[in-house]
Amino acid sequence: MSSPRQVEVVVIGAGQAGLSTAWALARQGFAGGSGFVVLDDGARPGGAWQHRWPSLTVGTTHRVHDLPGLPFAPADDGLRAREVVPAYFADYERAFDLPVHRPVRVSAVSRTGDDRFLVRTDSGDWIADAVVNATGTWTRPFVPRYPGQELFRGRQLHTVDYRDAGEFAGRHVVVVGGGASATQLLGEISQVTSTTWVTRRPPVWREGPFDEEAGRRAVAMVEEAVREGRRPGSVVGVTGLLVSTPYIADGLRREVLERLPMFDRITEDGVAWADGSSVRADVILWATGFRAAVGHLAPLHLRQPGGGIRMDGTHVAGEPRLHLVGYGPSASTIGANRAGQAAARQLRRLLHPAAGARSAAA
């Protein structure tokens, strides 16, 4: 087996978080090659966007923010997000000549004897002075467990498995989840068949845009969670707010967003509540979110009793050369941009202190 390749920084993942970090590292003096590499497990550019359901258009996303240095300017808001966003990411990689290696699957990150990081992959290993993890959440869909789940004779699927509402025609679908994906998919599916919507708590509709002040409050709540080592929640999870979109307005008008409380168990042919009521179902769609894809960091023993990783800004608390970008408060397109640049600045100060001093003097 060949010896591990040496590099200053390994970035894991080439989605929005990884690409924005790579751009920032290049600007901070980490040249490609021995300076930094980006390891991505996808066969082609696009991150999680290439796997989104076909009906998701640019206009129905929460908004795709520009990556730093290159505007995102699709010709039409009606274009499929799974096509135009990956094309934009591919253009971005070429425009800035980013050293992305793919497909490369990272299996584990551990410490070396000299306090560096050993990054093990299916395409050879790397030793790095610092690691930026930017793997997002798409590969770790979360499905809660309920009594009787294994007895259900219908189909169960998660948001990641959804492709088209037409496949559910003529079948009753129970949609579980109170987030934006749940309401959008419910709106689509209810156009072709009957549905039931189930959430843990009543939805709170926010009229008007999710402005900067509201965004700052939501981010602050998630930051508090990760500082304490708790699992980071989604914006809806921490605020309880759903922004009113055309999908929601249409669903409210058609009365398909009449929510029921969370069921207590699953039966062979549906779901049931403790009071004896039940709903027949052919399909249960779990729009129940995701967990951070950080299993490859397990050898570093970062997990806290609260289930999360305790953070200090973009880096793991007490680990200034290990950054998680796209985790917690930076798990959004604009948040990932800012976090990537913050991580790159910190790593320049740690690994290139002389360059940082020259920059400050200038």
Side-chain angles (χ1 to χ4, degrees):
M1 181 178 290
S2 60
S3 299
R5 285 162 283 185
Q6 309 279 325
V7 71
E8 286 188 282
V9 185
V10 166
V11 179
I12 306 173
Q16 184 97 15
L19 293 182
S20 61
T21 301
W23 176 88
L25 286 169
R27 287 177 63 86
Q28 293 295 336
F30 293 90
S34 62
F36 75 96
V37 294
V38 183
L39 308 180
D40 187 57
D41 67 356
R44 55 188 181 276
W49 287 103
Q50 61 193 293
H51 307 298
R52 301 297 174 109
W53 54 95
S55 58
L56 183 68
T57 65
V58 173
T60 55
T61 66
H62 280 314
R63 183 184 170 190
V64 181
H65 284 271
D66 297 346
L67 281 159
L70 185 68
F72 176 62
D76 186 342
D77 277 356
L79 294 172
R80 290 180 174 181
R82 65 184 293 175
E83 296 172 358
V84 295
V85 179
Y88 168 59
F89 281 14
D91 289 344
Y92 193 85
E93 291 180 16
R94 286 191 294 269
F96 296 105
D97 195 24
L98 299 178
V100 180
H101 297 238
R102 65 165 56 88
V104 177
R105 189 172 194 85
V106 174
S107 58
V109 179
S110 59
R111 288 285 190 185
T112 65
D114 58 354
D115 205 31
R116 300 173 77 198
F117 295 98
L118 173 62
V119 181
R120 295 198 175 277
T121 86
D122 60 358
S123 300
D125 300 339
W126 297 80
I127 287 181
D129 297 314
V131 169
V132 179
N133 192 76
T135 46
T137 62
W138 186 258
T139 59
R140 283 207 62 206
F142 171 68
V143 176
R145 300 299 303 170
Y146 279 87
Q149 204 157 0
E150 70 284 354
L151 304 176
F152 184 62
R153 293 181 298 193
R155 180 186 177 193
Q156 297 186 59
L157 71 159
H158 188 273
T159 307
V160 297
D161 307 305
Y162 179 83
R163 291 297 174 265
D164 182 77
E167 64 181 304
F168 305 117
R171 296 190 281 175
H172 188 77
V173 181
V174 172
V175 178
V176 184
S181 294
T183 55
Q184 181 173 353
L185 298 186
L186 182 65
E188 289 188 12
I189 295 168
S190 62
Q191 298 273 7
V192 301
T193 195
S194 60
T195 57
T196 297
W197 185 31
V198 178
T199 70
R200 286 190 299 112
R201 57 184 178 185
V204 179
W205 309 113
R206 178 187 177 87
E207 294 299 328
F210 195 73
D211 57 24
E212 288 190 16
E213 180 57 33
R216 280 194 292 269
R217 287 197 299 270
V219 167
M221 295 171 75
V222 179
E223 283 179 338
E224 181 181 1
V226 298
R227 278 198 304 270
E228 295 175 356
R230 292 183 279 119
R231 289 187 188 275
S234 66
V235 169
V236 174
V238 299
T239 65
L241 293 175
L242 279 162
V243 179
S244 184
T245 65
Y247 270 98
I248 286 177
D250 178 66
L252 290 171
R253 180 182 57 78
R254 293 188 291 114
E255 299 183 345
V256 298
L257 292 179
E258 298 296 325
R259 161 263 183 197
L260 294 178
M262 197 63 208
F263 48 76
D264 297 287
R265 60 190 175 91
I266 299 174
T267 65
E268 290 185 349
D269 58 1
V271 297
W273 286 261
D275 64 4
S277 60
S278 63
V279 168
R280 184 193 62 80
D282 302 297
V283 178
I284 300 175
L285 172 58
W286 298 96
T288 43
F290 300 82
R291 296 287 186 260
V294 292
H296 51 285
L297 302 180
L300 299 173
H301 305 292
L302 305 175
R303 290 282 188 189
Q304 298 294 308
I309 297 173
R310 193 162 61 87
M311 301 292 295
D312 182 359
T314 64
H315 69 82
V316 175
E319 298 274 3
R321 290 185 288 115
L322 177 60
H323 291 251
L324 307 187
V325 176
Y327 178 85
S330 62
S332 67
T333 53
I334 190 167
N337 283 357
R338 293 169 176 166
Q341 293 174 65
R345 287 192 298 268
Q346 270 196 277
L347 291 176
R348 184 208 67 202
R349 290 192 292 268
L350 283 169
L351 303 181
H352 297 174
R358 288 196 300 270
S359 175

